[in-house]
Amino acid sequence: MAFDPAAETAHYIDSLGPEALQKAASYTTASHWLLLGGLIVAAIVTWIIVRSGLLERVSAKVQNRAWALRTGLTCLTYFIVSAVISLPWSIYQDYYFEKSYGRTSQPFADFLLQNVIGIALSSFLGGLFFLGVYALIRRAGKSWWLWSGGLAAFAAAATILLSPILIEPIFNAYKPVPEGPVRTALLMMADEAGIPHDRVLMFDGSRQSNNFTANVSGVFGSARIAISDVAMKQASLDEVKAVTGHEIGHYVLGHVWRSVLVIIFIAMLGFFLADRVFNRVAALFGSKAKVGDPEGLPILLLIVSVLGIFAQPVINGVTRMGESEADAYSLRTVNLPDALAAALVKTAEYRYPRPSALQEAIFYSHPSVEKRVRRAMEWKAQQLQKAGTR
Ligand SMILES: [Zn+2]
């Protein structure tokens, strides 16, 4: 009987069983509603902070100090206070919701501790970034949005470069992949892609999440490939090879730079539109702040987050393209279509494999597992055909 990619694909997806598929569908849909919930929470937090006049008071307390100190302090206060007010929501979204679907086994205390560290870190970095934005508004005037888009790209590139060295080790332990056939295979693949051996790592992803993942992070000297211990435990040697082939694809094809370009474009557009509507939104919240006042940061960020939701389909479209290319790279170089399909099916537990076209276009950062498995099976069919005609 001839090899039928469609039937093979259906077989892979159905192997999850109706119950797991149903659970994945409900998890995926619920997590999309959480995006809307997050936006409503952001609006409420904005309202509370603006109406309380907190930022004006902080700024007034240090009004005789240098502009940079006043602005930086106001921004920092906003980030910390808004994170603290939204903490119950993030506990629900990032902990109880994940837990209710069995996606995490992290003890609550550990989650909370890491969350607090995350808040401190992001408040500091966010404060620093917006200090830069307000400096640009001061210096560049009307064209601030253009410069701020550039600043966003710079911040993104710096984060990408430094995150594997400074940020990721705070939350997870990275260590060399232990000796054995997996390590041997991974190092051979790393050699082909020109990645040094000490940059092929495994990390305790199981600390936060039961998701089957691997990732490439960093650039230049900081670039590295890391596989979660969850993937290491659940995957066969061939599956690890196929997944690593995908990750090396991202690295070799320079997808991270494409993301930086998208960030420049989206940030410029976002800041431009925010500039146009700022006064009207501020009035809605009863604030007299102008776009260049750090006291107006809650308003500015709310506008940017609402716009960000609308930009999501564009961003997702670009990342889906990269994911397809990385799959194709894995098939081309590692040529293990069945192992890739089997590994992909394991990620379907937290990304429903059969979304509607609309759902996929709007919300999916990866093409649906069904599509990806189908492409792997079509590749396999091609290979079989080639072997047959030889
Ligand atoms: Zn990927």
Side-chain angles (χ1 to χ4, degrees):
M1 203 178 82
F3 181 80
D4 176 2
E8 290 296 319
T9 304
H11 181 73
Y12 266 113
I13 308 295
D14 290 332
S15 72
L16 278 163
E19 209 171 302
L21 280 171
Q22 181 53 45
K23 196 172 166 190
S26 109
Y27 173 82
T28 306
T29 308
S31 59
H32 298 156
W33 282 108
L34 287 180
L35 289 176
L36 183 65
L39 219 49
I40 294 169
V41 170
I44 295 171
V45 171
T46 303
W47 193 83
I48 294 174
I49 296 182
V50 169
R51 303 300 296 183
S52 73
L54 171 77
L55 299 183
E56 283 78 2
R57 265 177 288 151
V58 169
S59 173
K61 272 227 168 90
V62 286
Q63 61 175 328
N64 297 325
R65 300 299 191 90
W67 174 88
L69 182 80
R70 194 158 28 97
T71 304
L73 210 61
T74 308
C75 295
L76 186 66
T77 307
Y78 164 75
F79 279 109
I80 293 175
V81 172
S82 73
V84 170
I85 303 177
S86 7
L87 192 59
W89 170 258
S90 54
I91 289 173
Y92 169 71
Q93 168 171 272
D94 300 330
Y95 191 74
Y96 283 102
F97 175 70
E98 294 296 313
K99 191 134 199 149
S100 70
Y101 279 92
R103 306 276 10 121
T104 178
S105 319
Q106 192 174 20
F108 181 67
D110 191 48
F111 166 83
L112 200 60
L113 179 70
Q114 290 207 322
N115 209 295
V116 169
I117 296 172
I119 290 174
L121 197 66
S122 59
S123 297
F124 173 73
L125 295 176
L128 208 59
F129 178 74
F130 276 92
L131 175 60
V133 169
Y134 286 114
L136 286 171
I137 298 181
R138 244 179 139 202
R139 281 287 177 100
K142 274 204 168 315
S143 61
W144 71 271
W145 54 272
L146 201 64
W147 294 96
S148 297
L151 181 66
F154 172 76
T159 309
I160 291 165
L161 178 68
L162 296 176
S163 155
I165 303 163
L166 298 179
I167 299 176
E168 288 168 12
I170 300 177
F171 298 98
N172 286 98
Y174 289 81
K175 50 184 191 204
V177 178
E179 290 296 337
V182 169
R183 181 175 173 83
T184 313
L186 291 187
L187 293 188
M188 226 162 75
M189 296 170 69
D191 283 342
E192 278 169 33
I195 299 167
H197 287 186
D198 58 346
R199 305 232 171 265
V200 181
L201 301 166
M202 102 182 230
F203 68 105
D204 59 342
S206 61
R207 181 169 175 188
Q208 294 95 351
S209 152
N210 300 328
N211 291 357
F212 183 104
T213 57
N215 65 71
V216 183
S217 65
V219 279
F220 306 129
S222 78
R224 65 132 178 259
I225 292 174
I227 297 194
S228 165
D229 54 351
V230 178
M232 281 293 210
K233 234 174 275 166
Q234 294 180 4
S236 70
L237 177 59
D238 277 356
E239 284 169 29
V240 171
K241 281 192 208 169
V243 169
T244 309
H246 170 100
E247 296 307 324
I248 290 183
H250 281 309
Y251 175 78
V252 172
L253 302 171
H255 287 158
V256 61
W257 297 115
R258 191 189 288 170
S259 316
V260 171
L261 279 181
V262 175
I263 289 170
I264 301 185
F265 176 72
I266 300 275
M268 279 182 185
L269 186 67
F271 286 138
F272 173 77
L273 293 172
D275 186 60
R276 297 295 128 124
V277 300
F278 185 90
N279 290 343
R280 260 168 286 168
V281 180
L284 213 64
F285 282 82
S287 162
K288 288 189 189 68
K290 294 277 162 284
V291 73
D293 300 334
E295 294 82 1
L297 179 59
I299 313 268
L300 182 59
L301 269 177
L302 181 65
I303 300 172
V304 170
S305 356
V306 173
L307 293 172
I309 290 270
F310 287 106
Q312 210 55 55
V314 179
I315 298 170
N316 284 338
V318 175
T319 55
R320 279 200 306 272
M321 203 161 78
E323 295 305 328
S324 296
E325 291 167 7
D327 281 348
Y329 184 90
S330 170
L331 290 170
R332 235 176 18 243
T333 55
V334 187
N335 196 8
L336 292 168
D338 282 298
L340 184 64
L344 285 171
V345 164
K346 288 174 186 158
T347 71
E349 285 178 11
Y350 58 91
R351 274 194 294 252
Y352 180 58
R354 287 172 175 148
S356 70
L358 185 68
Q359 208 180 15
E360 183 178 8
I362 296 177
F363 295 110
Y364 274 53
S365 64
H366 291 63
S368 73
V369 165
E370 185 171 52
K371 264 192 197 152
R372 296 172 74 185
V373 170
R374 177 69 185 256
R375 280 186 206 129
M377 290 303 107
E378 268 157 15
W379 167 269
K380 184 179 172 181
Q382 273 174 26
Q383 302 308 305
L384 290 172
Q385 208 175 22
K386 266 187 213 161
T389 51
R390 218 177 275 148

